[in-house]
Amino acid sequence: MATAWWAANRHEVFPVSKTVFEVIGRPGSGAADYWCAAGDFARTALRSRTANRLYIWKAVGPSVTQPGRRAVQFAFSPPKGAENVDPGYSLSVRLVGDNLTIGAAFQYCLGNDPFDWQRRLGW
């Protein structure tokens, strides 16, 4: 079993395959928590450009890497059949193919402290 990568919001991230990774939920996790962890992992650990898109590969449900826990799987491309999903206006982790840019996902990590975003970006 691979070691967890910890996102800024303390959610664990595990690889599922070479192209898919899984964010493990915590009690009370909402959509913003999953997107924050996915954006932070893509940006920080994988060093992906913030303009690249993240797609929900598998909606919130049972984890494949941590049995007994809930998770959302993300990838840099949509799963077959979900190429034209319109993300709409509400944040969700229930629709396969739903997507955000890495930068937009990472914004959910930023707190209310006006200097928090500067510290997290290393400024």
Side-chain angles (χ1 to χ4, degrees), residues 40-82:
D40 190 20
F41 178 72
R43 182 185 161 279
T44 307
L46 301 179
R47 302 233 182 255
S48 296
R49 293 183 27 226
T50 57
N52 291 349
R53 296 198 84 76
L54 283 172
Y55 295 85
I56 293 179
W57 187 264
K58 182 180 171 210
V60 65
S63 168
V64 298
T65 63
Q66 301 294 298
R69 305 210 29 215
R70 296 184 57 76
V72 178
Q73 292 180 7
F74 294 90
F76 293 110
S77 59
K80 199 159 194 71

